[in-house]
Structures are given as C-alpha cells and as structure tokens.
Amino acid sequence: MSRMRPLTLAATAVLTTLSATAVQALPSSFPTGTTVYDPERAYNGYVLFPGGDRKTHLIDMNGNEVHRWDHESFPPVPLGTARDSGEPGHVLVQLARAETLPEHASPGNGLTNASVAELDWAGDVQWQWGSQDAPVYQHHDMHRAENGHTLVLTADLREINGLDFEIIDNAIEEVNAEGDVVWSWSVGDHLDALGFSDTRLRALKDAEDPDFLHLNTAVPLGPNRWYEAGDERFAPDNILVNSRNANVTFIVDHDSDEVVWQIGPDFPALQLNGELGRAVDQTVGSHDTHLIPEGLPGAGNLLIFDNQGNAGFPPSKQGFFSSSRVIEVDPSTHEIVWQYTGSQSGRAPYSFYSSFISSARRLPNGNTLIDEGQNGRLFQVTPEGEIVWEYVSPYFGKSMPNDDYVTNQVYRAQLVDYDWAPEGTPREETPVVPDCERYIAAPGCEPDA
C-alpha cells in the first residue's frame, strides 16, 4: 500500500550548494514510501538498499519491507546463487565497527569498519573477513567475483613521497574463501598514472586533504563487447575504479597492475543539457561508475551518477544551478550517448540533486533505477526520462560521521528479480497515483495554466 504520510524530521536538512547564488532546502515534512508507481511501465522486482537507520532493507514496489538484515551495508551486495551457497537471498554487508579508531576515522572513509560478511536470508554469517581485533577498514564497494573471491575496497593511513602530510590510502584487495589476500592494488603507489597536472598537484598539496583520493568504486569489468572485439584493456578481470575527490575514472589491469584506460581529471566545460554525442564534460564527485552488464540495454557503456558536488584539485567549475545528472558514456569514444537530468522529467534542473553518495543502474526493460542518495529518494525513469516509480525512504537515523543530525540518506540502491529472494517472499504490485491536489509537482500532475 502507498505510504503517502508526512514524516516530521528532528531537524530541517539544509543543503548548501556550491553555487554562490543558490541554496536548496528540504521541507521539514514530506511523504515517504512509494509515491508513484505504474506497474505496466516500471520494471518490477525487489529493491535492496541501506537505510539511515544503519540496517539493510529489501522492499517491494509498493514500498512494503519484505525483509531486513540488522547490519549496516556500505553497500549491500546481493549475491547470485552461483557465487554463494546456492541458496537465495544472500548479501554482503558490514558486520561490525572497529573498537579503536585511527586518526581521521569516519564511516565515509571506511576507517571505522572492522569486518565484512556474507549473510544468509536468516542473517547468519556464512563468510567473514576482518574482526574488531584485526579490522579491514572496508568502504564504498565490494563484489563477489566469478571465482568465488571477494573484491574489497579498503582504506589505511600512510605517508607517500612528495606529500608532507599523512594520507588515507585506498586499496583494492582480493580475498579468497579462507580470508587470505591473494591480490592487492594501492592507488597511493600509482599517483603518477592518474594524469594530475603540475597545477593539480600543487593544489592537492596546498589543500592538505588526507582523503584526496577517496575511491568509491572498484568493480570487475565482467564480460563486455570491447574485450570480445579485441581491446585487451577491457579484459573481464580488470578493475574499473573511480576517485570521487580527484574526478578521475580508470581501469586497472589485473595482471600488470597498470592503469590502462581513464577519463579525467581534465574535462571540457560542463554542458548540462548539451547535445548527445559530445565528449564527456566536467563530472564532479561522481559515484557508482560501472559498465552496463551484458544482456541489458546499453551493455558495455559506462553508467555514471555525476553528483556535481564539491570535488577536484583545484575545485571543479560547475553550472549556475546545483543539479546532478546520470550519464551513459561510450568508453571507446568518451562520448555521452544518453543522459538524465531533472529537465528530462519536466522539472527544474535543481529538482534532481545529490552532492554525495547515490547510484544509477540500468534495468532489463531499458529503464534506469536512480538513487538520489542525500534525499533518500529512489526512482525509475524510462529512456525518455518519465518517472514510472518513486519511493522515499522512511528509514531515518543519525548521520555519519558525527551523529549530529537526522537523515534518511541512501548510499546505493539495487533492484533484484523476484526469484533472488526465497520462494514465498511477499510482494505487491498495486498502482500508486499521487494526490495532485496535495502534490501538484508529482509525476503525472499538471499545474493549472
């Protein structure tokens, strides 16, 4: 059933944008749950996401919670039955936070996280890496590979030549079923391969930001048409990596450890609604960068949630309005072949904005599931940008890193097919039409001329 009920926050969330002339603010109460749903045009399944309450939730399309794991997930990773015990409904989550925290520690950089685990549907641990006595500091991403190994993005403190301050280095670690690290790659050892100009290096040193790397994506490319056509850079085992703070996305060769492909950190100026086919323009603080998997519309292209939040050394120039976008990029030409902005839904550009976190995933029917993370808003758009499902998370909790305000933020959202969950898991597919008298700006509601 629809949960079009107001929920009063303990504090109004005021989101200061990077534009000197604009401030965006949320009201202190707004509807939560499923607010828009067209079952005939949406792609239907369960949606898995982490709540602001630090629990992992699985909902149906009508917003009913059908299952919960009482653990944080940064992010939750649904495991296919071929890569776990063969049972449905297994997930990777964070199991516990570290008891003793290093300097600069926050959940956002991973230095609070002690262990990760595979949980079954009942919440029982099937595999674990790390402990409170020996923390592994996972953050932002992890994946179960076809060979059963788990790829984990981790953080640690270190010093590197050329910088007179300690940095939070990010590593990609491949862990086998026994918990042994069988391969690792550290971005701190490859700064010279990321294309930083002398100007950017000077700005980086002047900023003295220990988290200037801040990787948020480390995902195997998987089977793709570029490799099948003979481009060795796109070997399925190679790792696609995104640095949020440095505005650079790159591929690491799993065999040589070399950076073999990249976009950024230098881009043409932003053209928020420019003509498709243009070179990818200025991304800022992007998230959830990945190749669209085989079998889905757009397979082989990059899908990027471009936050247009604060990032870059020096800070990147942005448009007048603070607004996010999702872009689909041909990695062989670096051209934008599809994009979504608030304008595609007939709204103002700034109506779609998340300065941090967030995600976008292509669905089998060509729709795209988007997570406007800072506002806890999940929605599906058609290729033309029409919103056919929308949900606002009702799961609020204290924010990271300092627990000083209330939020319903959602780091990443993923849709799983119904047969991913155990047989008999309930679901509902009842259309939800917004009350246009109360919510005149809702999808499908037209204001009076």
Side-chain angles (χ1 to χ4, degrees):
M1 70 190 236
S2 171
R3 298 192 181 102
M4 295 283 289
R5 54 182 176 81
L7 190 151
T8 301
L9 305 182
T12 300
V14 178
L15 309 173
T16 303
T17 70
L18 294 174
S19 170
T21 60
V23 173
Q24 181 183 10
L26 290 174
S28 58
S29 63
F30 47 83
T32 62
T34 295
T35 60
V36 175
Y37 179 35
D38 182 346
E40 298 299 321
R41 303 181 64 199
Y43 186 82
N44 301 305
Y46 297 119
V47 180
L48 179 70
F49 65 95
D53 56 357
R54 298 180 183 172
K55 301 181 188 301
T56 300
H57 303 273
L58 188 71
I59 63 168
D60 68 11
M61 302 301 290
N62 280 94
N64 303 303
E65 184 184 63
V66 299
H67 200 68
R68 175 186 298 185
W69 292 266
D70 290 331
H71 294 279
E72 294 183 77
S73 44
F74 190 30
V77 179
L79 298 180
T81 54
R83 279 175 274 176
D84 55 34
S85 65
E87 299 175 352
H90 285 220
V91 292
L92 292 175
V93 298
Q94 294 172 343
L95 198 62
R97 291 193 176 186
E99 291 183 344
T100 302
L101 302 181
E103 188 178 6
H104 309 302
S106 82
N109 60 36
L111 290 174
T112 64
N113 303 325
S115 61
V116 295
E118 174 187 342
L119 303 183
D120 63 16
W121 186 256
D124 296 326
V125 174
Q126 303 299 307
W127 175 85
Q128 180 177 341
W129 186 52
S131 66
Q132 290 185 324
D133 294 330
V136 295
Y137 299 137
Q138 175 271 340
H139 66 99
H140 281 92
D141 220 351
M142 50 184 167
H143 292 270
R144 178 65 52 80
E146 293 289 346
N147 62 4
H149 295 175
T150 304
L151 205 69
V152 182
L153 186 55
T154 64
D156 207 353
L157 297 173
R158 66 175 287 193
E159 296 179 354
I160 60 175
N161 292 334
L163 297 179
D164 56 6
F165 56 92
E166 193 175 47
I167 72 163
I168 302 172
D169 193 14
N170 287 187
I172 307 163
E173 302 190 64
E174 184 178 345
V175 186
N176 65 19
E178 290 72 38
D180 302 318
V181 176
V182 296
W183 179 83
S184 65
W185 185 91
S186 169
V187 68
D189 295 331
H190 297 271
L191 293 184
D192 57 349
L194 300 186
F196 295 136
S197 64
D198 290 341
T199 299
R200 292 188 187 281
L201 285 172
R202 285 195 297 272
L204 187 157
K205 292 176 181 180
D206 291 343
E208 294 191 357
D209 178 4
D211 199 22
F212 75 92
L213 297 167
H214 195 89
L215 303 186
N216 60 21
T217 298
V219 55
L221 293 176
N224 62 85
R225 58 190 171 112
W226 315 112
Y227 180 72
E228 292 299 322
D231 193 334
E232 297 289 336
R233 299 175 300 172
F234 292 86
D237 289 340
N238 288 354
I239 313 299
L240 182 66
V241 184
N242 186 68
S243 173
R244 179 220 182 275
N245 287 8
N247 288 337
V248 59
T249 300
F250 53 94
I251 293 174
V252 175
D253 187 293
H254 191 275
D255 293 330
S256 69
D257 290 352
E258 295 180 357
V259 174
V260 294
W261 176 97
Q262 74 178 69
I263 53 174
D266 296 302
F267 295 91
L270 177 66
Q271 303 177 55
L272 187 62
N273 289 309
E275 184 177 350
L276 295 181
R278 70 189 187 275
V280 59
D281 42 21
Q282 182 67 66
T283 67
V284 188
S286 60
H287 283 76
D288 197 28
T289 302
H290 62 279
L291 287 189
I292 298 172
E294 289 294 291
L296 299 179
N301 290 336
L302 282 171
L303 200 59
I304 303 170
F305 190 106
D306 178 20
N307 298 73
Q308 291 291 315
N310 184 25
F313 299 94
S316 300
K317 294 181 180 178
Q318 298 164 271
F320 179 80
F321 294 114
S322 292
S323 56
S324 300
R325 62 179 179 166
V326 176
I327 54 175
E328 181 181 335
V329 177
D330 182 328
S332 68
T333 64
H334 294 194
E335 292 178 344
I336 298 175
V337 298
W338 179 84
Q339 70 176 7
Y340 173 79
T341 68
S343 299
Q344 266 70 44
S345 296
R347 299 177 173 186
Y350 50 80
S351 65
F352 171 49
Y353 181 58
S354 180
S355 65
F356 66 108
I357 56 178
S358 310
S359 63
R361 296 294 172 105
R362 182 60 43 80
L363 302 174
N365 68 348
N367 290 354
T368 302
L369 173 65
I370 299 174
D371 164 29
E372 187 184 55
Q374 73 178 23
N375 301 321
R377 174 179 172 240
L378 318 180
F379 60 106
Q380 270 191 47
V381 295
T382 66
E384 295 74 33
E386 186 172 354
I387 296 172
V388 294
W389 179 78
E390 183 180 67
Y391 169 89
V392 179
S393 173
Y395 303 110
F396 285 77
K398 292 297 185 70
S399 70
M400 62 181 188
N402 299 318
D403 291 346
D404 52 2
Y405 59 88
V406 174
T407 176
N408 68 334
Q409 67 189 30
V410 173
Y411 170 62
R412 182 182 293 175
Q414 299 162 87
L415 189 145
V416 295
D417 286 325
Y418 289 133
D419 61 5
W420 178 81
E423 186 176 357
T425 301
R427 63 177 184 262
E428 186 180 351
E429 291 184 2
T430 302
V432 176
V433 179
D435 180 349
C436 292
E437 291 186 3
R438 296 185 63 196
Y439 304 105
I440 194 169
C445 297
E446 292 292 337
D448 293 335

